[in-house]
Amino acid sequence: MTTVALAATLGLGLAACGGGGGAQESVSWRLAETHPGDYPTTQADKWFAEELSKRSDGRITVEVYPDAQLGEERDVLEQMQLGSVELNRTNANLVGEFVPSWKAYGIPYAFEGEEHFWNFLQGEGGQAKLDELSEMGAVGLAYYDSGARSLYTNGKPIEKPDDLAGRNIRVQPGSITAEVVEEFGGSATTMDFGEVYSGIETGVIDGAENNLPSYVSTRHYEVADNLTLNEHQRVPEVLMISQSAMDQLSEQDQQLVREVAKESTEVQRELWQEEVAESRKTLEDAGVTITELDDKKPFEDAVAGLKERYAGQYGEFMDAVEAAKKQQ
């Protein structure tokens, strides 16, 4: 049996050459997470780490670093490619900068609702997208729920697209969302997630777009107290591991990592539903103006041309989305 001494500078353990099914020594990995410790994705990260250690009899240990301790999501994706971080939980929109085909997840109103969304993710279409992560030297392990993304602002509430005129909205770097906001009539500003609160507070931006739990956990509602539930995107979170880290393991342990990751999806989804309900109550108690839309058609119409253009560019993705709709 041949063993390879791995670099110890970042706390990596020793591992045997992977894939051969032979015995291996322990590995110690880092999992980067931008959200706080009590957030659903972070709790699922921790469940994954604990369960993996238990089922591998301690051969595989994972330490979760919440609160962007290892950097913002885009920075960590670069670190993964350099081999300095092994595991990462990130939003699919950001992956598009590294794997262009993943920009398809940002197509507005691609999914009719939660059931349609998860039919896609857990079907052939979702697995095909995970397989594409090999382009950036990563292995896609599992999807996590990120709900629907909606707009939130300070000042006048947003009831229709025209209300975004002259408003500066933060969007994720490298995503289609910038074009979505522009088609709505607003101005889009790329900004790291950790800068949004101060950006709104100082008037650099007028608001942002995200899901309810993120809006609450970041306390963005303190500086942008109008939420409009237009639900323009459903974009998943993804748990991934670098291919180089995966290659440290035997085939048996690689399969174990995949199994535990997929089980963590159900843990996260349950936690997510609880968090959405709690977030809604927090916003109501805080006096946030929540604008429910009986008809999202004005927003859908505003981005219809954009959706059609990207549907043509990502035809295979949209075909799989359409097929998932028929499974409902």
Side-chain angles (χ1 to χ4, degrees), residues 1-6 14-25 246-251 254:
M1 180 184 70
T2 302
T3 57
V4 180
L6 298 175
L14 294 174
C17 293
Q24 71 176 46
E25 297 183 48
M246 196 66 142
D247 287 345
Q248 296 170 24
L249 302 181
S250 66
E251 290 181 4
Q254 288 183 20

Side-chain angles (χ1 to χ4, degrees), residues 25 33 56 88 108 117 150 160 184 210 213 243 245 262 289 293 317 320 324:
E25 297 183 48
E33 172 63 67
S56 68
N88 182 25
F117 180 60
S150 291
K160 55 188 183 301
F184 283 160
N210 216 314
Q243 184 66 62
K262 289 193 180 299
T289 299
L293 297 174
F317 172 84

Side-chain angles (χ1 to χ4, degrees), residues 37 39 53 186 188:
Y39 196 80
S53 176

Side-chain angles (χ1 to χ4, degrees), residues 20-33:
Q24 71 176 46
E25 297 183 48
S26 63
V27 295
S28 180
W29 292 334
R30 304 196 300 174
L31 195 167
E33 172 63 67

Side-chain angles (χ1 to χ4, degrees), residues 257-273:
V257 169
R258 293 178 188 275
E259 289 175 359
V260 175
K262 289 193 180 299
E263 289 178 29
S264 75
T265 294
E266 296 309 312
V267 173
Q268 193 271 343
R269 288 185 68 186
E270 183 174 342
L271 291 168
W272 181 261
Q273 293 302 321

